[in-house]
Amino acid sequence: WEPSEPGEPGWARPGPPLGGRGLLAVAVASGAAVWATWAVLLMPGFRRVPLRLQVPYQPSSPRQVTNALALLRGRAGKTVDLGSGDGRLVLEAYKQGLRPALGYELNPWLLCLAKYRAWKAGYHEKVSFLKKDLWKVNLSDCHNVIVFLAPSVKPPLAAKLLAELPDDARVVAGRFPFPCWTASSTLGQGLEQVWAYDMKEVRREAQGSAQ
């Protein structure tokens, strides 16, 4: 221990530079912190979902939300967000007049956050956030579907949507398009781009390809 200069607290003086072991320790500690956050906040709800169908939580940006809801403007009917996260897309859908509006989410922490956001906005009894596996819910009565999910999920999800959605349904995908579908309209660029698919047209295209 060395005394500090008069008027200078000891903790204010810079310490020795980190060596290789010090940097390694910092990296390990950072990695452990990230893993702990994932294990406590994000992993619950994924444990029963096959690895290839798991989608890490990534909140939608304000522009992504605006673009997605713009492609649903003027529509009506039941609106669902598959993997609704913190609920921001569902809340905006309700504000736009899309009712009923609900989200399916397996992560209990994100469900709590979504319900808190709904309560704070005064919509806690007007929108719904349900702890359900999106692969097991029946979507046959849904007319507007919002999908902000990873590319790996899109092919199996496309088959489910084709099998269950009514002809007048519209699907809005954010961040990544459905690879085998032709969008009826799109908005934005880069990660803020969204795509709209009308199921009647998607089915017509799929039938033409099959023939």
Side-chain angles (χ1 to χ4, degrees):
W1 177 83
E2 295 181 2
S4 58
E5 296 294 330
E8 178 188 8
W11 50 264
R13 294 184 297 111
L18 290 174
R21 291 184 178 179
L23 291 173
L24 178 61
V26 171
V28 170
S30 300
V34 171
W35 181 90
T37 301
W38 165 257
V40 174
L41 297 179
L42 302 179
M43 188 184 294
F46 282 144
R47 294 184 179 119
R48 298 181 180 180
V49 178
L51 182 61
R52 70 185 181 88
L53 301 181
Q54 293 182 10
V55 182
Y57 167 63
Q58 183 177 356
S60 304
S61 70
R63 177 53 59 184
Q64 288 172 337
V65 174
T66 299
N67 290 345
L69 271 298
L71 294 183
L72 293 176
R73 187 170 295 123
R75 292 181 56 81
K78 183 177 180 180
T79 302
V80 299
D81 182 9
L82 302 180
S84 53
D86 61 10
R88 64 187 66 192
L89 282 160
V90 174
L91 293 178
E92 288 301 320
Y94 181 85
K95 291 178 184 178
Q96 186 168 299
L98 295 168
R99 302 167 186 176
L102 66 151
Y104 293 122
E105 175 60 56
L106 280 176
N107 189 298
W109 298 98
L110 294 177
L111 280 171
C112 288
L113 178 56
K115 292 177 180 180
Y116 168 76
R117 290 169 64 95
W119 171 82
K120 188 176 180 181
Y123 300 148
H124 64 289
E125 294 181 349
K126 301 176 181 178
V127 299
S128 301
F129 295 100
L130 306 178
K131 186 180 180 182
K132 290 187 176 182
D133 185 346
L134 66 88
W135 301 103
K136 297 179 181 179
V137 297
N138 190 321
L139 303 174
S140 60
D141 62 342
C142 298
H143 296 275
N144 305 293
V145 179
I146 302 172
V147 181
F148 274 67
L149 298 174
S152 60
V153 177
K154 294 294 173 63
L157 182 58
K160 177 179 174 64
L161 297 176
L162 273 172
E164 298 180 11
L165 289 180
D167 273 349
D168 62 348
R170 170 169 283 195
V171 178
V172 173
R175 298 195 186 101
F176 306 100
F178 282 88
C180 296
W181 291 0
T182 300
S184 58
S185 57
T186 185
L187 186 63
Q189 296 180 345
L191 290 179
E192 295 178 345
Q193 187 171 4
V194 294
W195 297 262
Y197 304 91
D198 293 317
M199 292 310 300
K200 186 175 183 179
E201 298 300 322
V202 170
R203 286 196 175 96
R204 181 179 301 168
E205 183 180 23
Q207 292 170 357
S209 299
Q211 293 174 356

